[in-house]
Amino acid sequence: MENNTIDISVVVPLYNEEESLPELLAWIERVMNDNKFVYEVVFVDDGSKDGSWNVVSELARSNASVRGIRFLRNYGKSAALYSGFEAARGRVVITMDADLQDSPDEIPELYRMVTEEGYDLVSGWKKKRYDPLGKTIPSKFFNATARLVTGIRLHDFNCGLKAYRNKVVKSIEVYGEMHRFIPVLAKQAGFSRIGEKVVHHRARKYGVSKFGWERMIKGYLDLISVMFMSRFGKSPMYLFGGMGTFMFLVGGATTVWLIAEKLWKQSQGLAVRGVTDQPLFYIAIMAVILGVQLFLAGFLGELIGRGSPDRNRYLIEERIENKKE
Ligand code: UDP
Ligand code: MG
């Protein structure tokens, strides 16, 4: 099927959400039919252990717009999204959690923002949030830090409800726990028109949250990786080589200075202190050694980068071809 025959692909990652699925699909159907959208819903079952997959197969039997992907085991939300993105054929791709916390009523406006206002990505913002405090407070800090270091002015990076232009989802690779940073990945790929829409949020109706308290620690570590990858991912030597050279030079110069000073004083017949009696000497030697190590880390990074399959992956937005042979 051609891309442009489907207006919207709704990608729903799910893990043990059997109770919510029929209700969610009915609601999506209603919104789509009211707005006369041609749509598909891609349910990605991330290795559920309950009856979720049976429910998805049931739903697919009664609604021809439903597609399903089932993982062999639980790989995580990022993997589920990635796989759904690969499958999505719609002009606009909308992701949504399966637990009925995100409202399908937001779909028409999100669609409009992407198709008419020209956004590459529109992220939901759960301004009024129905989650426990243990989740909302750390999340505020997390988002503030993410805004600060990425320069992307979103209030809710990790909102499950997002809309994308098809090209965006085909161009980014969500892996590990990177689903929290999709706007950052998109911006790095060159999609700079990132918008935000306040969305309605509801308390979880069935089941339990699939993420525990570790989410915050992991979130911060991933934030550091993302920033590192974006600044130095393509040229680790700039970071490590720079720091290494600096430490090597400072340490080396200090060592030479200590030895030279001693020799000079000796030649003048002054009292001298053994070079190895001075703490500064050990600090200097340490700097030299660390400098070499850092330099090596940068060099190894470059070697590894050379073998990376996407070392030359560029995204082409448009092209003009000359018809002449
Ligand atoms: N999810 C998933 N794989 C996982 C964990 C979660 O596909 O390993 C799905 C889950 O079924 C839900 C969405 O990701 O549709 C968001 O998860 P949850 O509602 O537990 O997160 P929270 O709302 O607590 O942030
Ligand atoms: Mg939820």
Side-chain angles (χ1 to χ4, degrees):
M1 206 180 289
E2 261 309 306
N3 262 352
N4 47 22
T5 60
I6 297 180
D7 301 318
I8 304 180
S9 297
V10 182
V11 171
V12 182
L14 62 111
Y15 179 52
N16 297 342
E17 309 278 8
E18 58 181 355
E19 305 98 325
S20 313
L21 298 176
E23 232 170 284
L24 179 68
L25 182 67
W27 193 352
I28 294 176
E29 268 173 354
R30 200 166 67 233
V31 172
M32 295 295 185
N33 294 336
D34 287 352
N35 291 274
K36 308 216 164 35
F37 287 130
V38 180
Y39 72 103
E40 62 176 5
V41 179
V42 183
F43 286 112
V44 187
D45 180 350
D46 184 14
S48 295
K49 291 176 190 70
D50 65 357
S52 293
W53 182 249
N54 287 336
V55 177
V56 171
S57 338
E58 269 314 309
L59 295 173
R61 256 197 290 279
S62 62
N63 181 337
S65 304
V66 171
R67 302 165 69 197
I69 296 169
R70 181 191 187 188
F71 283 172
L72 181 67
R73 67 164 170 85
N74 180 235
Y75 288 99
K77 189 177 177 183
S78 291
L81 286 174
Y82 180 71
S83 178
F85 284 167
E86 256 186 343
R89 297 175 300 198
R91 189 147 87 94
V92 171
V93 178
I94 293 182
T95 60
M96 185 177 284
D97 288 355
D99 55 4
L100 292 165
Q101 290 198 268
D102 300 328
S103 160
D105 287 332
E106 308 285 353
I107 291 175
E109 177 61 13
L110 288 170
Y111 177 79
R112 201 192 61 75
M113 288 176 78
V114 173
T115 54
E116 286 171 31
E117 288 181 34
Y119 284 107
D120 291 318
L121 186 169
V122 180
S123 180
W125 172 14
K126 297 166 292 206
K127 199 167 182 181
K128 178 130 185 51
R129 216 175 145 172
Y130 298 89
D131 275 322
L133 276 184
K135 197 151 115 188
T136 52
I137 292 172
S139 159
K140 281 220 162 68
F141 280 106
F142 173 78
N143 281 303
T145 321
R147 267 199 302 279
L148 202 70
V149 298
T150 64
I152 302 174
R153 316 227 53 89
L154 290 180
H155 292 87
D156 194 358
F157 279 80
N158 192 17
C159 185
L161 182 55
K162 288 188 171 63
Y164 312 80
R165 192 179 129 203
N166 187 292
K167 189 175 176 112
V168 177
V169 305
K170 302 292 181 190
S171 314
I172 56 178
E173 194 177 345
V174 198
Y175 64 96
E177 305 258 319
M178 290 299 176
H179 57 268
R180 298 194 184 90
F181 300 102
I182 295 180
V184 186
L185 299 177
K187 189 182 170 199
Q188 279 166 14
F191 299 103
S192 53
R193 285 162 296 184
I194 297 177
E196 186 167 56
K197 174 179 189 315
V198 174
V199 295
H200 284 284
H201 186 242
R202 307 197 305 171
R204 200 179 233 286
K205 191 162 175 188
Y206 306 104
V208 291
S209 172
K210 308 300 182 297
F211 298 97
W213 57 271
E214 342 76 73
R215 75 162 89 206
M216 282 301 143
I217 298 169
K218 288 186 184 167
Y220 271 102
L221 293 176
D222 282 339
L223 183 60
I224 295 169
S225 317
V226 166
M227 290 325 293
F228 175 79
M229 287 303 288
S230 75
R231 293 220 185 127
F232 303 107
K234 285 257 175 338
S235 50
M237 196 53 156
Y238 290 168
L239 176 68
F240 293 113
M243 291 197 313
T245 308
F246 176 76
M247 289 188 79
F248 183 85
L249 290 179
V250 170
T254 310
T255 312
V256 170
W257 161 259
L258 289 173
I259 295 172
E261 188 200 29
K262 183 192 162 185
L263 291 178
W264 181 79
K265 280 187 175 165
Q266 228 165 17
S267 71
Q268 300 296 308
L270 300 168
V272 288
R273 226 172 126 200
V275 169
T276 50
D277 286 343
Q278 306 182 44
L280 186 59
F281 173 69
Y282 293 99
I283 295 172
I285 289 290
M286 174 97 91
V288 170
I289 295 172
L290 282 179
V292 173
Q293 299 273 310
L294 282 170
F295 198 87
L296 270 178
F299 188 57
L300 287 176
E302 290 291 335
L303 283 180
I304 294 167
R306 242 161 63 117
S308 142
D310 55 22
R311 62 186 176 272
N312 247 334
R313 198 163 150 263
Y314 306 114
L315 299 174
I316 293 167
E317 175 80 342
E318 277 173 87
R319 213 190 258 282
I320 293 176
E321 295 294 355
N322 195 320
K323 299 272 167 0
K324 251 187 330 208
E325 277 299 292

